[in-house]
Amino acid sequence: MFEPESCPASEDAGSPHVVTTGGNFFPSNTTQKQISIPTVSPCSTQQLAHVDWLGFTINIADLGDSDPLLWFLLEFHPLSGFFTYDDNRKGWMGYKFSRDIEYGCGKLAWGGEHQKNTLHCELTAKGCAAITDWPKLREWLERMEAKITRVDIAHDDHEGKTINLDLCKQWLEDGLFSLGKREPDRRLIDDLGTGKGCTLYVGGRKNGKMFRGYQKGKQLGDKLSNWFRAEVEWRAKDRVIPFDVLTSPGVYLAGSYPALAFISAIQDRIKTMKKAVEVTILQAVSNAKQAVGKLLNVLCNHAKWTPDEIYEALQREGVPGRLKPFDRFLGLAGAE
């Protein structure tokens, strides 16, 4: 589901500062409290965290009468593998035309008087998971002189030992989500013991920066999971989001708040995707049990069909829609 945000092509006003890792990334005419972060080897920064959402805007004035959709498809397919863009038959965020990128991987929009000569793309978590070469995508965005309008960077703790909901709440009380004297906004979505997962929000979109800490495994349907995700969302509101966040996401996440400076455990993106596939499959099996479980009981115990006969009767070609974004990782499910 796409959440409304301010028009990306109009976020040029004011004197923006730069999303920083804690180092001296700010223009000389601005001041900002510097946050020390762990020293991280450049070869491991991608493993500390991953990009979980990306929005960017490109000026397409030079295309002339060329079809923006066809141009983008040809340019972006080698970077993402996407080739299906479904027509919404309506605009989006002030743009006249929009398309849904296959299987919930994102959205593309262009055209319209107020968004003249720009094209905007949003990649969801599923869309970002499909990107296998972030340096190559970064190089393309730089060459296109794109503007990053939103980026979410996430760190996963599959066991919930180094970061979890209770720790996040304690760090909030200890002031480790504060970068100044003012107390940040905070909000807790509590599942009240239902096992659907809790989420802690710190900060807000109106300021262009927000922390989310949530029980990712439970969100995906595993009520006993300890998998916890720490995620920071930046928007280009009075700030410049540098291309470096795409290739060194762990450094920027660690420098976003004092609470996250601990991030140093090596992350394995493949392990994260494997876990997502496993939880999604289990949830799909649970749904299938509700849908056809009684029928299978009748076929097996009353009609005396063999397992092979049941398989032949019910099996269909293809992959369920909820698993399509993970199709390249399906062989990992259950593997050690």
Side-chain angles (χ1 to χ4, degrees):
M1 178 177 179
F2 285 84
E3 303 160 7
E5 60 177 82
S6 58
C7 181
S10 63
E11 294 175 338
D12 297 323
S15 300
H17 59 272
V18 179
V19 171
T20 178
T21 63
N24 187 21
F25 283 85
F26 291 89
S28 58
N29 62 342
T30 63
T31 59
Q32 178 75 10
K33 180 179 178 181
Q34 301 300 306
I35 303 298
S36 61
I37 60 172
T39 300
V40 182
S41 168
C43 65
S44 66
T45 53
Q46 293 188 63
Q47 295 175 307
L48 296 173
H50 60 273
V51 178
D52 202 51
W53 190 290
L54 176 64
F56 57 87
T57 301
I58 298 175
N59 189 305
I60 56 173
D62 293 340
L63 290 184
D65 295 330
S66 300
D67 183 357
L69 177 60
L70 179 59
W71 171 84
F72 186 82
L73 191 153
L74 294 174
E75 287 279 334
F76 206 61
H77 176 75
L79 301 169
S80 64
F82 300 142
F83 60 87
T84 303
Y85 294 79
D86 298 322
D87 192 349
N88 283 321
R89 301 187 183 279
K90 61 181 180 180
W92 180 58
M93 284 173 39
Y95 288 96
K96 185 176 180 179
F97 307 106
S98 67
R99 297 289 189 276
D100 288 327
I101 302 176
E102 58 189 69
Y103 311 129
C105 287
K107 211 173 188 80
L108 184 70
W110 71 94
E113 181 180 353
H114 298 292
Q115 306 294 351
K116 188 177 180 180
N117 296 328
T118 64
L119 175 147
H120 184 69
C121 178
E122 298 263 342
L123 296 180
T124 64
K126 292 178 180 179
C128 289
I131 303 297
T132 58
D133 192 337
W134 283 97
K136 188 174 181 180
L137 175 60
R138 170 184 173 164
E139 185 276 329
W140 181 75
L141 290 173
E142 288 186 287
R143 179 159 47 85
M144 293 294 106
E145 298 183 350
K147 175 183 178 181
I148 298 178
T149 59
R150 173 181 172 180
V151 66
D152 296 8
I153 300 177
H155 170 90
D156 288 302
D157 183 343
H158 297 99
E159 305 301 326
K161 294 180 179 179
T162 57
I163 185 167
N164 53 52
L165 184 63
D166 289 336
L167 283 172
C168 285
K169 290 193 290 186
Q170 184 60 54
W171 293 337
L172 179 61
E173 293 304 313
D174 292 342
L176 295 181
F177 282 105
S178 300
L179 295 177
K181 295 181 180 180
R182 185 176 179 180
E183 286 291 317
D185 293 337
R186 73 279 306 274
R187 180 164 57 103
L188 176 65
I189 305 299
D190 197 327
D191 69 358
L192 298 177
T194 62
K196 294 183 177 180
C198 303
T199 302
L200 175 67
Y201 295 89
V202 181
R205 290 199 171 105
K206 63 181 180 181
N207 299 320
K209 180 182 176 184
M210 180 171 64
F211 167 82
R212 284 186 295 270
Y214 57 102
Q215 296 166 317
K216 181 65 176 179
K218 291 182 179 179
Q219 180 200 62
L220 290 174
D222 184 352
K223 294 184 178 182
L224 300 179
S225 175
N226 291 319
W227 179 2
F228 192 84
R229 173 169 289 179
E231 185 172 82
V232 174
E233 172 189 319
W234 286 273
R235 293 181 183 245
K237 182 177 182 179
D238 298 328
R239 63 169 44 81
V240 174
I241 302 176
F243 295 109
D244 198 38
V245 299
L246 304 180
T247 48
S248 299
V251 173
Y252 284 85
L253 188 62
S256 61
Y257 296 96
L260 301 183
F262 78 95
I263 294 176
S264 61
I266 297 298
Q267 292 282 287
D268 185 342
R269 182 61 172 152
I270 297 299
K271 181 178 179 181
T272 295
M273 296 310 301
K274 171 188 170 184
K275 186 68 174 178
V277 170
E278 290 176 346
V279 173
T280 304
I281 287 177
L282 288 175
Q283 184 61 40
V285 169
S286 177
N287 293 341
K289 182 177 181 179
Q290 293 297 318
V292 300
K294 292 181 179 179
L295 172 61
L296 289 176
N297 178 57
V298 170
L299 293 178
C300 182
N301 296 315
H302 300 281
K304 304 301 181 182
W305 285 27
T306 67
D308 287 342
E309 288 173 331
I310 294 175
Y311 176 82
E312 289 295 328
L314 298 181
Q315 189 255 355
R316 292 172 55 192
E317 291 295 327
V319 177
R322 68 170 61 198
L323 284 169
K324 282 185 180 294
F326 308 114
D327 57 358
R328 73 191 64 186
F329 300 100
L330 289 178
L332 296 174
E336 294 298 333

